[in-house]
Amino acid sequence: MVTNAVKLPWACTVNGQDVSLDVDPRESLLDVLREQLALTGTKKGCDQGHCGACTVHVDGRRVLACLTPAVQVTGRAVTTIEGVAGADGGLHPLQQAFIDHDALQCGYCTPGQIMSGIACIAEGHCETDDEIREYLSGNICRCAAYVGIVAAVRQTADAVRNGA
């Protein structure tokens, strides 16, 4: 196999840490996170942008890491599921709410669901269960945990609104 791999310098902040690598311009953000940075919490589901399992935040906005070229996030702030814990290392409130509401079965979609749920709450799209479902619709759960997922997002959004 002949390769003419060109690597480009890549520097950004991942979970609050400065990172510098050389990346193939064809590599997805998902592959760089998982294979070069060993951040395997972000899941590779369909690898076509249909399931949402690879959802991460770039500059606070959710993106599908499988469809995002890594070079496109140069100089930006990337947050993965590994980066949402509190300063004390404790669970993010939405992670705890997922546990409280049994919002996972196989758990494969859970990191992407939590990343989308955090964004949904930050965007203020949690007034009703229907609104939560609409704004989480890019993340597919095939294990019937969706009722618990919506309840977890609603509980966390209510806590944020009440200053908790």
Side-chain angles (χ1 to χ4, degrees), residues 42-92:
T42 303
K43 301 303 182 202
K44 183 179 264 190
C46 67
D47 208 24
Q48 298 177 356
H50 296 298
C51 72
C54 66
T55 303
V56 299
H57 297 171
V58 174
D59 293 338
R61 300 181 64 123
R62 56 183 138 174
V63 301
L64 298 172
C66 73
L67 297 181
T68 304
V71 295
Q72 201 170 50
V73 302
T74 298
R76 300 171 76 183
V78 177
T79 305
T80 69
I81 191 69
E82 291 92 343
V84 302
D88 63 354
L91 294 176
H92 183 282

Side-chain angles (χ1 to χ4, degrees), residues 111-151:
Q113 295 276 8
I114 289 173
M115 296 307 289
S116 282
I118 291 170
C120 183
I121 293 166
E123 294 161 1
H125 297 298
C126 300
E127 292 298 318
T128 66
D129 287 356
D130 286 343
E131 186 177 38
I132 292 169
R133 284 187 195 94
E134 174 67 22
Y135 281 88
L136 293 180
S137 64
N139 293 75
I140 298 171
C141 169
R142 295 176 177 87
C143 303
Y146 213 68
V147 172
I149 292 168
V150 171

Side-chain angles (χ1 to χ4, degrees), residues 7-29:
K7 299 278 187 169
L8 298 176
W10 184 76
C12 65
T13 303
V14 178
N15 297 333
Q17 302 292 314
D18 291 335
V19 175
S20 296
L21 300 169
D22 290 326
V23 299
D24 184 316
R26 299 168 294 179
E27 281 184 286
S28 70
L29 176 58

